[in-house]
Amino acid sequence: MYQSFEVPQFKATLFYYDSNYEKQTAEKIISVLEQFDFFPPDRICADKLTKNRYEKANEHTPKLFVQAYNEKDVFCIETASAVETVKDKEKDFWKVVLGLTYHKSSKLVGSCKFKPWNTLSIYSTYGRLQDNNKYSDFINCVKCLISTVKPFYAHIDDVANCVKLMDEVKAEHFVPNVVQQIYWGNYYGEGYESLLGENCILLLPAFKAESIGDGIFFTLSDSLLDFNSKETEYQRKKLWKHLSNNTGANTGDISVC
């Protein structure tokens, strides 16, 4: 699944709407990351504010992060625990990446029909999540961020497996409010409940499901480390069958394999 020059990692990505980019939002994100040991970082890259390069973090990094989130024409913020190298495949490495939309462009005039979304991703090497405490921090950080930024969708899985699963359903890119694939960890928020129907969500035959914010978070097994096990694949097929048989969608909005 990985090339020799790639570092196997897990990834959680939250898809959320925000066109105001207020400083308070960035401060809340930092607070959650700090709580679960994903802040302060060792390095930060804040688009034009760091000349599109990683720079060593210091006591001013929190202020820089907030400024980058709020300032026009800054479209990407990355923080990392260290410099990522192929030699460190089992290293205790993590990275947080925010991809922000053209709503931050100083050249944007008027509005458009398309509603763009932002992404907030957390990456972690396999080695880091072998530690039970750090594993719990990773999962709980995702859940807390869901409550904080209120995404309409989120998923957690191995990076390469995410690509593989999308290829299986011939999906070239992410589409909101459509069930394109089922990952190890999934969050369906606003837009998905009306699409799938309340009873369908409540009766999901997932390994574990819980309500968070305005949606539901569910997983295919007890541990993310089992993302490619036979049991996980069996659970995925059960969920596909349930969603395709029980959704109220009559317009082909549910994509099934």
Side-chain angles (χ1 to χ4, degrees), residues 118-229:
N118 307 278
T119 59
L120 170 54
S121 298
I122 303 179
Y123 295 79
S124 177
T125 53
Y126 284 18
R128 178 180 176 81
L129 298 193
Q130 295 294 329
D131 181 292
N132 289 335
N133 291 329
K134 291 176 180 177
Y135 176 88
S136 295
D137 280 347
F138 180 80
I139 300 298
N140 290 327
C141 184
V142 174
K143 292 180 180 180
C144 199
L145 284 172
I146 287 174
S147 297
T148 301
V149 303
K150 297 178 173 32
F152 60 87
Y153 174 75
H155 66 241
I156 307 173
D157 214 306
D158 167 81
V159 172
N161 199 49
C162 284
V163 176
K164 172 178 171 289
L165 291 173
M166 286 289 275
D167 286 345
E168 286 181 356
V169 293
K170 297 179 174 57
E172 297 182 358
H173 53 79
F174 171 74
V175 178
N177 301 332
V178 173
V179 180
Q180 294 176 288
Q181 189 48 279
I182 298 172
Y183 299 90
W184 176 86
N186 311 265
Y187 176 76
Y188 293 165
E190 184 180 357
Y192 284 81
E193 184 170 354
S194 59
L195 178 67
L196 302 175
E198 182 178 358
N199 290 334
C200 179
I201 289 180
L202 293 175
L203 299 175
L204 277 175
F207 179 86
K208 184 177 181 180
E210 59 184 293
S211 295
I212 302 178
D214 298 323
I216 185 169
F217 175 78
F218 62 96
T219 63
L220 301 185
S221 70
D222 184 51
S223 173
L224 174 57
L225 303 178
D226 301 325
F227 74 93
N228 60 351
S229 68

Side-chain angles (χ1 to χ4, degrees), residues 34-45:
E34 283 181 327
Q35 182 181 350
F36 297 102
D37 201 24
F38 287 102
F39 204 95
D42 180 70
R43 298 176 182 275
I44 182 170
C45 179

Side-chain angles (χ1 to χ4, degrees), residues 17-65:
Y17 297 118
D18 185 3
S19 58
N20 298 317
Y21 303 103
E22 297 177 349
K23 292 182 178 180
Q24 294 90 330
T25 302
E27 291 168 348
K28 289 177 181 179
I29 292 173
I30 288 177
S31 179
V32 173
L33 295 175
E34 283 181 327
Q35 182 181 350
F36 297 102
D37 201 24
F38 287 102
F39 204 95
D42 180 70
R43 298 176 182 275
I44 182 170
C45 179
D47 208 325
K48 66 175 185 177
L49 300 182
T50 59
K51 298 181 180 180
N52 296 305
R53 301 174 183 172
Y54 269 105
E55 64 177 32
K56 190 75 174 176
N58 54 43
E59 67 273 17
H60 303 296
T61 296
K63 183 178 180 180
L64 175 61
F65 187 101

